[in-house]
Amino acid sequence: MDSVDAYLDDILAAIRPLPPRELKLADALGAVLTDDVTAQYPLPSFDNSAMDGYAVRAADLTGATPDSPVVLPVDGEVAAGETGRRNLVPGTVIRIMTGAPMPADADAVVPVELTNAGTAEVAIRQAVRPGNAIRRTGGDAQPGDVLVTAGTRLGAVHLGVLAAAGRAAVLARPRPRVTVISTGNELVDPGGPLIPGQIWESNATMLAAAARQAGCPARRYPIVRDATDAVLAATQDALADADLLITSGGVSMGAEHDVVKAALQTLGTVRFRKVAMQPGMPQGFGTLGSAGTPIFTLPGNPVSAYVSFRLFVRPALDALQDSYRERGKLPQAVLTAAVRSPEGKRSFLRGVLDGPAGLVTPVSGQMSHQLASLARANALVVVPEQVTSLDAGETVDVLELP
Ligand code: AMP
Ligand code: MG
């Protein structure tokens, strides 16, 4: 049996990051930049007003007070979006709006609040310093300044600054596209009737949603019957538009019904093994096709599948963008009840974490088919391999669930 850590190391070592692509900003949320993006132009690109008010020569306002305001003629106005350059005649002012270009020879803006807001002439109650309320060319960024660094996962504000700097597209590694294939003769789509012996399919819905929760576009493939040729055809077909494949079911240890294992073993690039964990012992991972697309063959039991996604697929999604970083220590909490765990396996027990109180309560129902109990949990209690029981009051590592 392999340890959880050794298995994850093997997965990460086998994954080649997706090649960077030129992505339009609208498609780049969550993509990871491969090069620094620098400003080509100053930001802002012209001197402009920071406020609604009057463009002035500061020297014309000397001595202005509320009791003896300086009154000056208003020589028209300039609004944001005007591209012609106005000239300020000494001894006059120009009404100016936020974002409008500063008239030549004006050296300050008086906010409208310091005036009587006059239109033909204006009474200004206070002198201002040269430069007042002016947004200078390059005051936010200078040409050559790094706006977003290589390795950044692009969020809303990064995309905003790229747009503000005039970029329409960037070179970045896109979010991997995920397809989830469920296998099993017993599976039926939810919404329709069941006959005894059948169950409603849940894993593909859950795992595709988990991938989306991790920011990746993901889809659920139509249910595949337990036949090796059907499994091979489905993986081949899904490979066309996926950067990572997940199968569920068909990888248990024995029977010829384990068709995923039987089908993919023939390719020679997918390895099946036992991992020392509970739930989720039977695992398979490998790569497919010329792109080396990673495939995870997760166990069919829903809780095993979900825990496996969290432990192995989630890091792989980051690795595909070359953005996997080892997490520091897990948060800890104090158990409110005793738990047991098999010798030699790392257990991931469903629990309800009360973060502020620092307490975690194991839920009842820890078998790997018990998805309802996973739905009641918000965390997994991690019990190390060599530990077989823990009492209430002992401190444990917890993996929070999104
Ligand atoms: P398997 O890994 O195919 O041996 O399946 C193990 C258990 O998980 C069986 O009880 C299956 O019925 C169940 N199972 C397999 N696939 C799914 C699925 N997609 N949704 C819900 N349960 C499943
Ligand atoms: Mg099955």
Side-chain angles (χ1 to χ4, degrees):
M1 257 199 278
D2 291 300
S3 73
V4 170
D5 297 331
Y7 182 52
L8 178 59
D9 286 346
D10 284 355
I11 290 165
L12 294 172
I15 287 180
R16 278 189 278 136
L18 297 174
R21 292 211 324 257
E22 191 77 9
L23 296 173
K24 294 201 189 93
L25 294 192
D27 301 323
L29 180 65
V32 174
L33 264 195
T34 45
D35 296 301
D36 288 350
V37 175
T38 54
Q40 267 186 285
Y41 311 99
L43 273 183
S45 58
F46 56 93
D47 287 357
N48 66 89
S49 179
M51 304 185 85
D52 291 343
Y54 297 86
V56 301
R57 289 195 328 161
D60 290 341
L61 307 184
T62 310
T65 66
D67 290 338
S68 70
V70 169
V71 178
L72 295 169
V74 179
D75 182 16
E77 71 165 37
V78 52
E82 272 175 45
T83 51
R85 188 87 195 269
R86 291 287 309 273
N87 275 303
L88 185 74
V89 178
T92 70
V93 303
I94 295 177
R95 182 98 165 94
I96 193 165
M97 308 304 158
T98 305
M102 285 300 291
D105 296 329
D107 64 2
V109 170
V110 178
V112 70
E113 292 85 345
L114 299 182
T115 73
N116 67 350
T119 50
E121 54 177 36
V122 63
I124 298 173
R125 297 190 296 267
Q126 195 179 303
V128 296
R129 292 218 180 86
N132 190 67
I134 297 177
R135 305 195 283 211
R136 291 289 178 203
T137 305
D140 193 10
Q142 296 281 350
D145 282 357
V146 175
L147 298 173
V148 191
T149 53
T152 300
R153 185 181 294 289
L154 295 172
V157 175
H158 302 120
L159 296 173
V161 76
L162 292 169
R167 292 289 296 254
V170 284
L171 196 63
R173 294 186 208 281
R175 292 276 202 185
R177 300 160 301 167
V178 176
T179 296
V180 187
I181 304 171
S182 273
T183 65
N185 287 343
E186 73 279 33
L187 303 178
V188 176
D189 282 324
L194 285 185
I195 51 179
Q198 297 180 323
I199 62 170
W200 283 299
E201 199 288 323
S202 58
N203 289 351
T205 294
M206 173 171 64
L207 298 173
R212 271 183 236 121
Q213 222 166 18
C216 298
R219 74 180 183 108
R220 173 178 181 259
Y221 199 84
I223 294 167
V224 174
R225 297 295 141 213
D226 282 325
T228 52
D229 54 349
V231 170
L232 279 174
T235 51
Q236 206 55 45
D237 181 39
L239 209 51
D241 60 0
D243 302 306
L244 183 143
L245 292 185
I246 300 171
T247 65
S248 124
V251 293
S252 303
M253 287 305 149
E256 69 269 21
H257 297 289
D258 292 326
V259 293
V260 171
K261 194 171 175 182
L264 297 177
Q265 225 153 20
T266 62
L267 301 176
T269 57
V270 183
R271 205 177 135 201
F272 294 88
R273 46 198 187 174
K274 296 185 187 181
V275 178
M277 61 190 279
Q278 191 174 54
M281 182 183 66
Q283 297 284 339
F285 169 77
T287 56
L288 296 179
S290 54
T293 303
I295 179 167
F296 287 85
T297 65
L298 303 187
N301 272 311
V303 181
S304 310
Y306 186 77
V307 171
S308 305
F309 178 93
R310 180 73 177 74
L311 295 182
F312 307 122
V313 182
R314 186 71 189 77
L317 292 171
D318 283 337
L320 280 170
Q321 294 188 292
D322 200 18
S323 66
Y324 175 76
R325 303 287 172 270
E326 207 156 330
R327 297 274 177 90
K329 278 188 179 304
L330 290 176
Q332 293 195 312
V334 173
L335 278 172
T336 64
V339 296
R340 306 186 127 280
S341 169
E343 163 110 62
K345 288 185 179 177
R346 192 178 300 178
S347 286
F348 298 91
L349 303 170
R350 281 146 270 179
V352 177
L353 175 68
D354 179 346
L359 297 174
V360 64
T361 302
V363 302
S364 69
Q366 295 284 349
M367 292 171 74
S368 52
H369 68 287
Q370 290 177 306
L371 189 54
S373 75
L374 180 59
R376 287 195 299 273
N378 63 0
L380 299 172
V381 172
V382 185
V383 185
E385 287 77 351
Q386 67 283 4
V387 175
T388 54
S389 67
L390 288 167
D391 291 329
E394 295 204 71
T395 299
V396 289
D397 288 347
V398 289
L399 260 177
E400 288 179 71
L401 300 177

